[in-house]
Structures are given as structure tokens and as C-alpha cells.
Amino acid sequence: LIAVGIIVETGALGDLLSRDWIDREVRGKGVSGELLFVAVGGLATALAVPRNVISFLGGYAFGLAQGTLLALLAEAFGCLLTFACGRTVARRMVSARLGARVRRIEDFLSANPFSMTLLVRLLPVGNNFLTNMAAGVSRVRALPFLLGSLLGYLPKTFVFALAGSGVETGAHLRIALAALVFVMSGAIGAWLYRRY
């Protein structure tokens, strides 16, 4: 959370995706600001910007509930863009060079794409960009992958939107909420891991 806050505060991402940009172009702009946030956040996610930054800024710009929802939409849009790029542009090149690895990903995801994607998203490991690209390059069905990603993104998106929103809940309650969400997502991940 501190690292995300520093990235946002210092504007390390340039003028785009900074608090100044949010204040100038997104906040208080109504539907056009919301659409701009989802579009830019989605593009940033597709270009491997950490989802935590998008979630934090969503909470900062729109508050907890709306910020969580809009950040989740932006992250899903970014996931879809990277997946589509892998499916349409990179598939032949990557499959030709990394065929065995692509088959392992297909074997892992193909039997239960929704559940396995949800499992990958809930575990605190992996790289969002690489996961999206790998799934796009494989023959995994798009809809279960995207729905599993969307549901799996929810816990961390909520926690970082909470941090960005500045909701006056008190440190103890905020830490308790974050811990509860972490434990719940870990429990679901562990259950899915044992099942599949």
C-alpha cells in the first residue's frame, strides 16, 4: 500500500494515472470521467501497470463502492485487451517458440477454466499481464477465463480501493477488513486448490 501510494504521489507513472490527472480529468466529470478512467485504466492494465495502482486511484477518485466497481471494470477491460492480443496477434509466434509451455497452461486451465482462473487470481502469486497473455495464446475459452478473472480480481481491488478512498473507518477497522478479505480469498483459493 505504501509503494502504491508513493507511485501515485510522486507521479512515477508520468502525468497519466497520477492524482493530479485524476483531479483534473476524472473527478467530478460525471459519466465522461468514469468512462475515461475505465478506458485509461484498462489500457494501463493491458500494458502491465499493476492493478493495485488502478484500484487505489479508483478509490481515490470515486470512493469505495463506485471506485471498486470502476477499477474492476478497468481491470477486466485490460485483461480482455491482453487476452485478445494474445489470441489474435501473438498466438502463432508464441506457440511456435514455446509450444510445450503453452500446452502446460492449456492442460492446467482447460478442464475447469473458470475455477482454475479464479484459483490463479486469488493466490498471491503470478503476474497479471503474463497470465492474460498466456491464456490468450492458449486455447482456453475466453468467457470462463474472463469471468474467473473478474471474480478473482475483486478482493484485492476492494482492499486497494479502500486504501485509496480515504474512508474514515479508523486504522483498526481498515486493517481488520483487509485481513478478512485476504483470509476469505485465501480460503477460497485453498479450497479450489484442493478440489482441482
Side-chain angles (χ1 to χ4, degrees):
L1 291 175
I2 291 169
V4 169
I6 290 171
I7 288 170
V8 171
E9 188 65 36
T10 61
L13 298 173
D15 188 42
L16 212 55
L17 293 178
S18 67
R19 284 178 52 182
D20 291 338
W21 179 79
I22 291 288
D23 290 338
R24 188 176 61 250
E25 303 294 334
V26 173
R27 232 177 186 184
K29 303 288 184 184
V31 174
S32 65
E34 294 167 3
L35 291 174
L36 180 63
F37 175 78
V38 170
V40 170
L43 288 172
T45 302
L47 296 172
V49 170
R51 290 182 306 106
N52 303 341
V53 172
I54 307 304
S55 302
F56 185 90
L57 288 172
Y60 171 74
F62 304 107
L64 177 59
Q66 188 178 11
T68 299
L69 176 65
L70 292 173
L72 199 58
L73 288 175
E75 294 161 4
F77 178 51
C79 175
L80 178 63
L81 287 174
T82 307
F83 182 91
C85 180
R87 184 64 41 105
T88 59
V89 177
R91 191 175 197 170
R92 285 186 186 169
M93 178 181 68
V94 172
S95 292
R97 294 183 181 184
L98 302 173
R101 290 182 183 176
V102 171
R103 278 191 295 282
R104 283 199 312 249
I105 293 166
E106 287 175 350
D107 291 344
F108 179 74
L109 293 174
S110 64
N112 298 294
F114 174 81
S115 299
M116 298 313 289
T117 301
L118 181 60
L119 171 64
V120 167
R121 300 305 190 186
L122 290 175
L123 295 176
V125 296
N127 178 293
N128 184 55
F129 174 79
L130 293 177
T131 301
N132 297 339
M133 184 60 73
V137 169
S138 74
R139 289 188 181 96
V140 172
R141 291 180 296 137
L143 187 60
F145 175 78
L146 294 172
L147 291 175
S149 293
L150 187 66
L151 187 58
Y153 286 164
L154 186 58
K156 276 179 74 177
T157 301
F158 174 80
V159 168
F160 279 91
L162 176 66
S165 70
V167 171
E168 293 300 324
T169 57
H172 290 58
L173 182 57
R174 195 177 296 193
I175 291 169
L177 274 173
L180 178 65
V181 169
F182 178 77
V183 167
M184 286 173 46
S185 66
I188 293 168
W191 178 77
L192 287 170
Y193 180 79
R194 285 187 184 145
R195 182 169 180 186
Y196 297 106

